Structures are given as structure tokens and as C-alpha cells.
Amino acid sequence: MKKKTLLSTMMTFILLCMVSLSINLSAQKISLAIDFSGYKKLKVKPSEADPSVKNWDSAHIVLYDKTIKNNKVLLWLTGTGGSTDHFPQSFFKTALDQGYRIIALSFISSPGVSKVCKGDFLSKDVDCAAEFRRKRIYGDNVFPIIPDQYQDAIIPRLIKLLQYLSKNDKEGGWSQYLNQNTGKPVWSKIAIVGQSQGGGMAEFIAQHEAVARIISFSGGWDYSDSKTKKIAGWYAQKLVTPPQNVFATYHVKEVAATNLAEICKALHIPAENVFALDQPIDQARNKPNPYHVEGVKNPVYKPIWIKMLGSGL
């Protein structure tokens, strides 16, 4: 009888331990969600800021600390197929902690450059990638291969959003980010951060505008010859943004690691600003290139994020 009682007690103890462990694990999973409740959060559809927008109308996301008035904007540009429905929460929280306010811009992210500028088409137009990026960023050139209209382009959408915020969110003081004479962004108060396609967009903008900072997480790899994987000629163009303010990362195990390293050199990014990441993968991902998003998603790289971000004040 005593043996049965002892066995029953042990089984009950084991069961309670398993339940406790399950609760703890659940709590840990829940704690992974970042709490942004202390920040003002706005969602603005591109069509609200510009009624001419008809396509890709998922909302821009705006996050900022109302107590900080004259800080820099961090402009987030997603990768191919991405949207503002999902963003790198740990990185965003780090940027906010560094003093930035954040705009996650909604723009047409599909198709990507690599889906268009390849094969025979690329052979006939070796500048395809630069023309593609110009169209998606500025919208002021002729490139009929993608359906993007002027109002869909990154910078026109940014300008319209800043105009909208200046009028409709007075406490945000958004007019400081627009040149009141030209109507263009005050790039010295804007840092641009992008993942994959978005990283390539940030690099392209850095060649045309003197922005506060550029961070490219595994920025896109454009070619002038897709068979030999010769990188696109636009990478060799001189940076307008000071090189010391341009940063890039890639993971040594991602598919295009060799090309990304070559691109960083072609862009003349200082060696100390390029981070070849090598930590184990954060979460198992059933994707053909799982290491591609590690730089911006894995919190183990927070010290590198802080170095690249600097101060947003």
C-alpha cells in the first residue's frame, strides 16, 4: 500500500513539473513579443496620404516617443514580397531605444530585381537593375517592365506621408523632415534601413542623396550578367552619403554571401562598417536561404545593430 501511495505521489509530482514547465515555456514564447505600448503608433494607408494611389495600399506604420521632438527618422524598407504587416520587432525596439522615430514605408515590393533583370532580358539591357531601382525609388524614369506608377515609388510615397503627418499629427512635428522650399525630404535627418531588396534600395539612394545613415541587411545582389554573376555596374557609382555613414551586413552562410561581400567593396563601404555574420541560426526556417534574414531578426546581433544605428538624437 505504501509503495502504491509513494508511486502515486511521484507521478503527481512529475505531472505538476510538466505542467509548470509547459506554463513557463508558454510565458517565454509570449515574452518574445515586444511591447510598443509606450510609443505613439499610427497607421496611414498610402491612399489616405495620396488619393492617386490605387495599388499596394497596406498601411505605413509610424512609431515614435512623443517626449522626443527633434530626433532622426529611421525609414524602413522591406525585402521582396514583404509588407508592413510584419517588421523586425527587436531591431525596431533597439532603434527606438537609440532615439529614432520609425517609419515603416509601404511600397510595391514585388517582383524583385532578380525576377526581372535576368537571362536574355538582362543581356539586352545590362543597366536593367539600375533602371528598375530608379523606377521603384523615384518613379521618374521610363521602365515599363514593372507596373509601378510615380505615386507608387518610395520617395514620392515618403513625401506624401510626411505631408500628411505634418497636417494630421501636429504633436509629431513632422514638418521638420521636409524642406519647405523644395518639398523634398531633409535627408540629413533621415536614416534608411533595408532588408534584401530594401537594402539595395537604401544603397542606391545613398548614391543620390546625402542621408544621415544607411544600413543594408543582406542588400539585394544585382547583376549585369546573370550567367557569370558579374555584379551590376551601378554599384561602382560614387556615394553621395559619406561612406563612414554607410553600413552593411550579410551572413557568411547565406546563398549570395560572396556576391554581397564583393558588392560592399564596389560600393566603397569602409571595411569596419561591413559585418560578416556567423552566429548559428536563430530559428529553424524551412526556406532555401534561411540565413538571409538573420542579420535583422536575430537579437544576438544587437551590439552590431547599436554600432550601426548610432544615436538617433
Side-chain angles (χ1 to χ4, degrees):
M1 184 68 182
K2 288 183 178 179
K3 288 184 177 180
K4 288 184 178 180
T5 302
L6 179 61
L7 180 61
S8 176
T9 302
M10 290 177 63
M11 291 298 292
T12 301
F13 176 75
I14 291 170
L15 181 60
L16 287 171
C17 287
M18 291 176 68
V19 171
S20 176
L21 178 61
S22 175
I23 291 171
N24 286 336
L25 286 174
S26 297
Q28 288 177 21
K29 288 180 181 178
I30 292 170
S31 69
L32 290 176
I34 306 296
D35 181 13
F36 292 102
S37 61
Y39 301 95
K40 185 165 185 178
K41 183 177 182 180
L42 301 171
K43 291 185 176 182
V44 181
K45 285 191 173 185
S47 61
E48 291 180 64
D50 181 0
S52 69
V53 170
K54 305 299 180 186
N55 299 309
W56 213 279
D57 201 27
S58 58
H60 305 301
I61 305 295
V62 179
L63 281 167
Y64 71 97
D65 183 338
K66 292 188 291 185
T67 66
I68 306 175
K69 300 299 182 183
N70 299 307
N71 50 341
K72 296 185 182 74
V73 168
L74 185 147
L75 177 65
W76 167 253
L77 303 177
T78 188
T80 299
S83 74
T84 54
D85 292 336
H86 304 282
F87 55 80
Q89 293 191 25
S90 293
F91 177 76
F92 272 28
K93 183 60 169 63
T94 302
L96 289 165
D97 289 343
Q98 291 300 109
Y100 287 90
R101 55 178 64 191
I102 295 174
I103 291 176
L105 196 79
S106 175
F107 69 98
I108 296 177
S109 66
S110 185
V113 179
S114 62
K115 296 297 183 183
V116 173
C117 300
K118 61 180 182 178
D120 292 339
F121 186 82
L122 180 58
S123 299
K124 295 175 182 177
D125 182 8
V126 296
D127 294 323
C128 175
E131 294 167 4
F132 180 110
R133 291 194 183 275
R134 181 87 199 183
K135 183 69 172 181
R136 185 153 288 175
I137 294 168
Y138 290 96
D140 60 0
N141 61 321
V142 178
F143 190 73
I145 310 305
I146 56 176
D148 306 38
Q149 301 298 307
Y150 176 79
Q151 63 269 22
D152 299 322
I154 289 168
I155 292 177
R157 285 198 174 195
L158 173 62
I159 291 171
K160 289 293 185 180
L161 176 60
L162 290 173
Q163 290 173 345
Y164 176 92
L165 293 172
S166 297
K167 182 178 179 181
N168 295 282
D169 183 38
K170 296 294 186 182
E171 69 178 342
W174 294 97
S175 60
Q176 65 183 300
Y177 305 105
L178 280 174
N179 185 309
Q180 301 306 306
N181 294 319
T182 66
K184 295 181 179 180
V186 178
W187 292 113
S188 61
K189 295 181 71 71
I190 300 173
I192 307 177
V193 182
Q195 158 69 26
S196 194
Q197 179 189 158
M201 297 303 183
E203 292 165 348
F204 192 93
I205 294 171
Q207 293 180 334
H208 297 83
E209 315 292 347
V211 303
R213 223 167 185 84
I214 290 290
I215 302 175
S216 174
F217 287 103
S218 298
W221 44 96
D222 298 352
Y223 300 126
S224 58
D225 187 325
S226 54
K227 293 180 181 178
T228 63
K229 297 192 183 305
K230 180 181 178 181
I231 63 172
W234 72 262
Y235 289 117
Q237 185 173 327
K238 186 177 179 180
L239 290 166
V240 174
T241 296
Q244 66 268 25
N245 294 338
V246 180
F247 298 82
T249 77
Y250 62 90
H251 198 286
V252 295
K253 289 188 177 181
E254 65 176 290
V255 173
T258 301
N259 304 107
L260 288 166
E262 183 184 0
I263 286 167
C264 289
K265 290 180 180 179
L267 285 165
H268 300 292
I269 303 175
E272 62 271 20
N273 288 6
V274 178
F275 299 91
L277 311 176
D278 59 3
Q279 293 299 305
I281 202 162
D282 180 35
Q283 296 178 0
R285 298 183 181 91
N286 187 24
K287 293 183 178 182
N289 194 12
Y291 289 91
H292 184 50
V293 296
E294 278 293 283
V296 75
K297 285 195 173 182
N298 193 338
V300 73
Y301 299 119
K302 183 175 178 178
I304 294 176
W305 296 346
I306 291 173
K307 182 175 182 179
M308 294 191 296
L309 285 164
S311 175
L313 300 177

